[in-house]
Structures are given as structure tokens and as C-alpha cells.
Amino acid sequence: MNGICAGRVVIVTGAGRGLGRAHALAFAAEGARVVVNDLGVGLDGVPGPDSPAGAVVDEIRTAGGEAVAHGGDIATAAGAESLVAAALDTYGRLDTLVNNAGFLRDRMLVNLGEDDWDAVMRVHLKGHFLPLRHAAAHWRAETKAGRTPVARIVNTSSGAGLLGSVGQGNYSAAKAGIVGLTLVAAAELARYGVQVNAIAPAARTRMTERTFARTMAAPDAGFDAMAPENVSPLVVWLGSAASAGVTGRVFETEGGRITVMEGWRPGPTADKGARRTPAEAGETALKLLAEAAVPGAVYGA
Ligand SMILES: NC(=O)c1ccc[n+]([C@@H]2O[C@H](COP(=O)([O-])OP(=O)(O)OC[C@H]3O[C@@H](n4cnc5c(N)ncnc54)[C@H](O)[C@@H]3O)[C@@H](O)[C@H]2O)c1
């Protein structure tokens, strides 16, 4: 198949449904061979009887593309290692990793149990780190063998991680952590030919179907603005060789809109050149806050 990903091998985690499925189909339509990972869990992360990955592989093959299923848990070392091995054993190469798998355990902080904290941190943060680490080790070995790759990683953050979201303390912390991981990975892996970016998507999936009801499709847009398929084109471009030079960036993407998110940067500042008393520190902080931009509202506040 022709397309901007012709010849590339792409892993998409959590690609059995929702955004990951849309990404996998979009990569295949642009000529990539795709490893479709999905453990097949419920909305709260509890494993179900079947992985939906095989059905997505069937869809890709029916459309004339190439894909293979992987049903492992990306938040385990064995799952992440076998995922990268699936790409190398099946297709002999790996070019792009899209970290997407995840689930929610929403609670207000005072009711948030330790299990719900751990499960969400594990699937999102560890579930990004482990595939990234195993893919990066492969790309480092390629570089050392004189075959510096044109490799890409696309991570999945969220508006919740960028602005915070009421009732999602665990999820917001994990998704903010993914931005930090993205920045470090972009800096560390550049020498191995790897670009690392993150998206903060919004789309109607089983995770958000109550938030983004079908009626939210913009009436004048002429298309279903909250369809997951609207998010995938940017992911495919970031995952292709065409995005050369773009790394360490975060994009919000939803419907027909793409926004570059501008992260933490120094605002108003004052240096006394000596230690302050707490009262002086407070006086300075209030003066600087009066000059500073007002932060975006926390979702749901
Ligand atoms: N839908 C949105 O509006 C939205 C907004 C912001 C961020 N996100 C993020 O986008 C990503 C995809 O979300 P979605 O809305 O498509 O959800 P979804 O529930 O439709 O799909 C997630 C998939 O990940 C799989 N999965 C979960 N844990 C796994 C594991 N340990 N190993 C392998 N697969 C696993 C699930 O089985 C599921 O098929 C998530 O990281 C989510 O946090 C979504």
C-alpha cells in the first residue's frame, strides 16, 4: 500500500477499540504494517474474556493492509518486551510506537482508594514507560550497528493532565507524568533517531460516551466532530518520517482542530539576591501573581 507510512512498522497499544483502533486503521491505510495490541479490559481496567485486537487485524486485512494482533498487558515487562518482539519477529523492523492503552478509575480525592490510584498510575505511566523503554533499546542497538532509524513515539496525555480534572486526581497525575516522560524521552533519544511527541485527544469512545454525546457533533461541521477518526491523522503524521524535526511537543487534537500546547515557562520573576522572610516571600509572590497570566480552569471545577 502507498501512503506516508509505506514500509513502516507501527505498534499501537490499546488498539482494539476507541482511539487506538482508529489510529491502527489510519496507519494501515497509509501503508504501515501494524501490530495491534489490546489486553481487552473493561472500562475500569478489569481484564475481560477476549481481546478485541483480532477483530481490528481482520478489518485491516479486509481493507488490503497488513497487521498482527498482540494481546499482552503493556504495563508488564513481559507484555512490553513481547510487544516489541512481535514487531521484530513478524516484520523484521519497528519504526513507530503509539502509546495509547489506558482506563479510568474516577473518584473524588477523599474517596480515591489506593488500588484505584495504583491501577491508573500503572496502566498509563508504566504502560507508557515499558513499551518506550523496550522500543528505545532496539533503536539504540540499531544506531550502534550503524543503522540510525527514523523512529517515532507518540504518547497519549489528556487535557486532564495539562489543566487538571475534578474527580480524576489519579488520571490527571498520570497524564501529567506522561508529558514529563515525553520531554525527557525526546531529549534522551534524539541521538538514536527517535522523535517523541504527545497528544491530548478528545473523542467519543466508550471512555467518554457520556461526556461527548453524539449530539455534540458540530451541526455545521459537516462531519462527526467527536469521532475518534478525527484524532488519528495527526498521530499518523507524527508517526511518519514526514514529521522530521518535530519532537518534545504536545498537541491537543479534537474534531478538525489541532492546537500546539505551550507548556510551563517562567513568568514574572523577582530576585532579591538574599533570603527572604516568609512575610517578604508572600509579598513578592502576591506582586508577581498580579502580573502573571491567569491559569486555565481545571475541567469540572
Ligand atoms: N476518549 C477521549 O476523549 C480521551 C481524552 C483524553 C485522553 N484519552 C486517552 O486516549 C487513550 C485511548 O482511550 P479511549 O478513549 O480510546 O479508550 P477505550 O477504552 O475505548 O480504549 C482503550 C483500550 O486500551 C485497552 N487497554 C487497557 N489497558 C490495557 C493494558 N494494560 N494493555 C493493553 N491494552 C489495554 C483496553 O482494552 C481498550 O481497548 C487513553 O490513554 C485515554 O486516557 C482519551
Side-chain angles (χ1 to χ4, degrees):
M1 264 196 192
N2 295 325
I4 66 167
C5 287
R8 293 179 75 79
V9 173
V10 177
I11 290 172
V12 184
T13 71
R17 54 171 79 84
L19 284 159
R21 171 183 167 276
H23 301 339
L25 291 165
F27 271 109
E30 287 293 333
R33 289 166 286 172
V34 185
V35 181
V36 178
N37 159 269
D38 207 296
L39 179 59
V41 306
L43 265 175
D44 57 358
V46 175
D50 300 310
S51 165
V56 176
V57 167
D58 289 345
E59 276 188 88
I60 290 173
R61 290 183 180 160
T62 302
E66 287 182 65
V68 65
H70 176 273
D73 181 349
I74 45 80
T76 64
E81 200 170 352
S82 67
L83 177 60
V84 171
L88 299 178
D89 294 348
T90 311
Y91 300 121
R93 59 184 297 128
L94 174 62
D95 301 281
T96 297
L97 165 67
V98 179
N99 284 314
N100 164 82
F103 55 78
L104 302 172
R105 298 269 183 97
D106 292 357
R107 302 274 187 285
M108 294 306 240
L109 285 170
V110 289
N111 295 322
L112 183 61
E114 192 177 342
D115 284 356
D116 295 332
W117 174 268
D118 287 346
V120 167
M121 295 305 273
R122 177 182 171 278
V123 74
H124 290 283
L125 263 185
K126 205 169 175 186
H128 269 60
F129 162 64
L130 287 173
L132 180 153
R133 190 200 173 289
H134 285 285
H138 165 68
W139 288 322
R140 180 182 60 182
E142 287 290 286
T143 301
K144 289 196 166 161
R147 299 183 295 267
T148 303
V150 179
R152 306 284 187 254
I153 297 174
V154 184
N155 291 332
T156 306
S157 183
S158 164
L162 304 176
L163 291 176
S165 177
V166 169
Q168 297 191 308
N170 49 357
Y171 182 69
S172 299
K175 289 302 199 187
I178 285 169
V179 172
L181 178 67
T182 300
L183 301 180
V184 174
E188 286 190 8
L189 303 181
R191 75 193 69 166
Y192 307 129
V194 188
Q195 292 182 180
V196 191
N197 294 286
I199 61 158
R204 185 190 330 99
T205 65
R206 66 173 186 169
M207 195 184 267
T208 56
E209 60 195 357
R210 273 176 299 186
T211 317
F212 305 131
R214 192 160 289 276
T215 50
M216 272 187 70
D220 299 331
F223 71 113
D224 179 0
M226 298 318 293
E229 288 74 15
N230 300 329
V231 172
S232 304
L234 177 67
V235 175
V236 171
W237 181 78
L238 288 170
S240 76
S243 63
V246 179
T247 194
R249 307 306 293 256
V250 180
F251 298 87
E252 265 196 356
T253 167
E254 134 184 17
R257 182 181 299 280
I258 294 172
T259 306
V260 176
M261 299 306 285
E262 298 182 327
W264 293 107
R265 64 182 68 215
T269 180
D271 185 356
K272 185 184 173 187
R275 186 175 302 160
R276 295 182 170 89
T277 65
E280 282 174 334
E283 192 183 326
T284 304
L286 289 174
K287 182 173 161 296
L288 295 175
L289 284 170
E291 299 165 15
V294 178
V298 171
Y299 286 102

